[in-house]
């Protein structure tokens, strides 16, 4: 079972690619950093089945906003979430995760 996946700097990876990750329910670590605008809220909604995730790196994913964080609220096992330079994320989005 695959537990860790690093797709950092893979700007060709978009919402369709994120939807393809949904069956990987054994993932505990996912790195999507430096996804630019290709990683966005719609794609994050597709990650909700990955309830075993403990580490998610979304640094420099400019398409991520509060709406995407609300979709991640189902990932209650997250212990590490990197949102560096996710400029659309506000306090409201962070509250959705608590």
């Amino acid at each position: 079972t695959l537990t860790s996946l690093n797709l950092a700097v893979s700007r060709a990876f978009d919402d369709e690619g994120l939807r393809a990750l949904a069956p990987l329910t054994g993932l505990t670590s996912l790195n999507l950093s430096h996804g630019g605008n290709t990683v966005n809220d719609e794609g994050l909604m597709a990650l909700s089945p990955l309830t075993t995730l403990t580490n998610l790196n979304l640094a420099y994913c400019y398409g991520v906003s509060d709406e995407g964080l609300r979709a991640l609220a189902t990932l209650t096992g997250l212990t590490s979430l990197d949102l560096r330079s996710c400029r659309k994320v506000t306090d409201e989005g962070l509250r959705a995760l608590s």
Side-chain angles (χ1 to χ4, degrees):
T1 301
L2 184 67
T3 59
S4 181
L5 184 59
N6 185 343
L7 294 166
V9 195
S10 181
R11 292 199 176 165
F13 200 78
D14 58 9
D15 294 338
E16 186 176 338
L18 289 175
R19 283 190 291 276
L21 297 179
L24 301 177
T25 55
L27 278 181
T28 58
S29 179
L30 180 59
N31 185 347
L32 299 170
S33 66
H34 297 272
N37 290 313
T38 60
V39 174
N40 59 40
D41 296 336
E42 184 179 335
L44 292 185
M45 291 176 197
L47 299 181
S48 62
L50 304 181
T51 56
T52 58
L53 273 180
T54 58
N55 180 21
L56 180 59
N57 189 337
L58 297 171
Y60 303 96
C61 292
Y62 306 126
V64 173
S65 75
D66 294 344
E67 183 179 346
L69 292 189
R70 281 190 286 278
L72 296 179
T74 60
L75 305 181
T76 57
L78 276 180
T79 58
S80 176
L81 178 62
D82 192 337
L83 296 168
R84 276 179 290 154
S85 292
C86 293
R87 299 177 188 128
K88 296 179 183 177
V89 171
T90 68
D91 292 345
E92 180 183 330
L94 295 175
R95 275 191 292 276
L97 294 173
S98 60

